[in-house]
Amino acid sequence: MKESELQKLVEELSLIYFNKPFRHRALFNSRLRTTGGRYLLHTHNIEINKKYYEQFGEKELVDIIKHELCHYHLHLEGKGYRHRDPDFRKLLKEVDAPRFCSPLPEYRKRRKSSKIIIYSCKSCNQVYKRRRSINISRYVCGKCRGKLIKIKELTSE
């Protein structure tokens, strides 16, 4: 799919589902990693992750576009356009758009195979599980301010 086809699709979906024109640009952004698309507040453009179209097909692409158009139209009308706003949630239901997109298989795989490091407090034995290692000489227990020690490192494959 070309960007001109994406632009045309976004304009059509805007008229079909929202009865309002889309007057800005819709484009593919290959740098998006974990999200299907995003609405840019300053330019009012919509960026779409092309990987979602390539891996899930046109239905997922249409769902992502409807979601981003909800942000777009609500923001331009001065209503609540954020995920937590009631206006946004109501409009999502009206146009049958998902609140979140499906995770890409490659991202899901990367998340599952990550390591988990377990730290414990010497004083109160509070346990902390972290995906990233921390500098135990700089950080202390959040409960009692005691010294932390590294217990073990788990890797899940």
Side-chain angles (χ1 to χ4, degrees), residues 7-19:
Q7 180 73 31
K8 187 177 176 197
L9 179 63
V10 172
E11 290 171 1
E12 288 173 4
L13 291 173
S14 182
L15 289 172
I16 292 168
Y17 288 99
F18 301 90
N19 297 320

Side-chain angles (χ1 to χ4, degrees), residues 4-154:
S4 59
E5 294 170 352
L6 175 68
Q7 180 73 31
K8 187 177 176 197
L9 179 63
V10 172
E11 290 171 1
E12 288 173 4
L13 291 173
S14 182
L15 289 172
I16 292 168
Y17 288 99
F18 301 90
N19 297 320
K20 297 171 191 165
F22 177 73
R23 293 198 172 104
H24 293 85
R25 288 191 58 211
L27 40 113
F28 288 114
N29 183 344
S30 59
R31 290 167 300 167
L32 295 177
R33 294 255 185 253
T34 59
T35 184
R38 69 178 175 186
Y39 165 64
L40 302 170
L41 296 172
H42 299 294
T43 62
H44 306 295
N45 293 339
I46 291 177
E47 295 181 342
I48 302 293
N49 187 341
K50 196 169 189 174
K51 286 182 191 172
Y52 277 83
Y53 172 66
E54 293 165 351
Q55 292 187 18
F56 294 114
E58 193 160 339
K59 190 207 178 306
E60 184 76 18
L61 179 68
V62 168
D63 285 345
I64 291 168
I65 292 170
K66 288 193 298 186
H67 176 102
E68 299 308 326
L69 283 172
C70 288
H71 288 298
Y72 172 81
H73 288 298
L74 289 170
H75 181 248
L76 292 179
E77 292 170 12
K79 295 181 181 174
Y81 60 89
R82 294 186 177 106
H83 285 118
R84 65 176 177 261
D85 294 328
D87 291 333
F88 182 75
R89 291 185 185 200
K90 183 179 175 221
L91 187 57
L92 280 178
K93 282 183 184 171
E94 287 174 15
V95 298
D96 193 33
R99 188 146 176 247
F100 302 104
C101 58
S102 311
L104 286 170
E106 62 210 41
Y107 180 71
R108 196 179 316 140
K109 203 184 312 175
R110 189 170 52 221
R111 287 287 303 206
K112 281 184 181 175
S113 65
S114 63
K115 64 182 178 184
I116 296 174
I117 306 162
I118 300 174
Y119 298 94
S120 178
C121 174
K122 276 186 175 179
S123 304
C124 69
N125 295 322
Q126 174 71 31
V127 175
Y128 297 95
K129 294 179 182 176
R130 297 289 180 264
R131 291 197 181 273
R132 289 182 161 182
S133 60
I134 61 169
N135 184 350
I136 56 175
S137 63
R138 285 189 64 192
Y139 292 96
V140 295
C141 176
K143 192 174 174 185
C144 73
R145 308 204 39 88
K147 188 171 172 55
L148 295 176
I149 54 170
K150 185 176 178 179
I151 303 295
K152 60 183 164 185
E153 198 170 309
L154 305 171

